[in-house]
């Protein structure tokens, strides 16, 4: 079975993340969406909240599983028997960091990373921008799922 891994902070999941995960699910037999439990920055949403957002967004996909990990991604990938890591690439600015991680991850365990270009309409989208806009009461409709929009509005009441 071809097992793909889509890792990330997902703080919170955006429509850009979902586009990549859904496209990965159409190419691979099984997709593990793995949320990092110990991100470098203090997350806005707890691991449980981030997990619930992903579950609520992807419940229709039989071949998509939501999990979490701590520590090195490749250790988790190896333990789960993952064949490829799948990442979305937005602009050129993503490339520097992503290629570095992909090459290091390959060196560490031989696991390959496949890059999917994001759709045009999501190329400017990031979870950090979404958090910032929501925190100042800006409109985030259409860039995150409706239930995430509600959770953000609850977190940052006007
Ligand atoms: O959504 P993000 O924050 O861009 O996701 C980044 C993530 C979690 C995929 C990356 O930081 C990661 O793989 N962290 C786990 C620690 C690790 O393996 N570091 C070495 C990378 S070469």
């Amino acid at each position: 079975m071809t097992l793909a891994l889509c890792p990330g902070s997902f703080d919170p999941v955006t429509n850009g993340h979902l586009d990549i995960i859904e496209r990965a699910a159409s190419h691979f037999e099984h997709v593990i969406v793995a949320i990092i439990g110990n991100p470098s920055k203090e997350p806005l949403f707890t691991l449980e909240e981030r997990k619930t957002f992903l579950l609520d967004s992807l419940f229709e996909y039989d071949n998509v599983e939501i999990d979490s990990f701590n520590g090195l991604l490749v250790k988790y990938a190896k333990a789960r028997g993952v064949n490829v890591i799948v990442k979305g690439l937005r602009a050129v600015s993503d490339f520097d960091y992503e290629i570095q991680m992909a090459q290091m991850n390959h060196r560490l365990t031989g696991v390959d990373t496949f890059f999917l270009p994001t759709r045009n309409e999501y190329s400017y989208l990031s979870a950090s921008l979404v958090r910032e806009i929501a925190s100042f009461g800006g409109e985030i409709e259409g860039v995150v799922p409706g239930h995430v929009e509600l959770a953000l509005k609850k977190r940052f009441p006007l």
Side-chain angles (χ1 to χ4, degrees), residues 9-31:
S9 309
F10 304 109
D11 186 33
V13 65
T14 68
N15 288 344
H17 292 131
L18 292 174
D19 173 50
I20 297 296
I21 295 164
E22 287 165 10
R23 283 158 64 199
S26 74
H27 293 289
F28 297 98
E29 284 173 79
H30 192 80
V31 174

Side-chain angles (χ1 to χ4, degrees), residues 83-124:
N83 304 97
V84 290
I85 295 168
V86 176
K87 290 281 196 81
L89 272 188
R90 288 168 299 195
V92 188
S93 48
D94 274 347
F95 186 77
D96 276 350
Y97 183 49
E98 289 295 342
I99 192 91
Q100 205 182 353
M101 283 199 291
Q103 289 170 330
M104 184 55 89
N105 284 336
H106 186 264
R107 181 197 156 96
L108 287 168
T109 53
V111 69
D112 264 320
T113 299
F114 286 14
F115 291 116
L116 276 177
T118 54
R119 289 203 296 192
N120 261 352
E121 60 262 46
Y122 300 135
S123 60
Y124 56 87

Side-chain angles (χ1 to χ4, degrees), residues 139-155:
E139 192 46 71
I140 44 160
E141 189 190 348
V143 296
V144 290
H147 53 93
V148 174
E149 188 187 334
L150 281 178
L152 281 162
K153 284 184 171 158
K154 222 168 157 182
R155 185 61 61 97

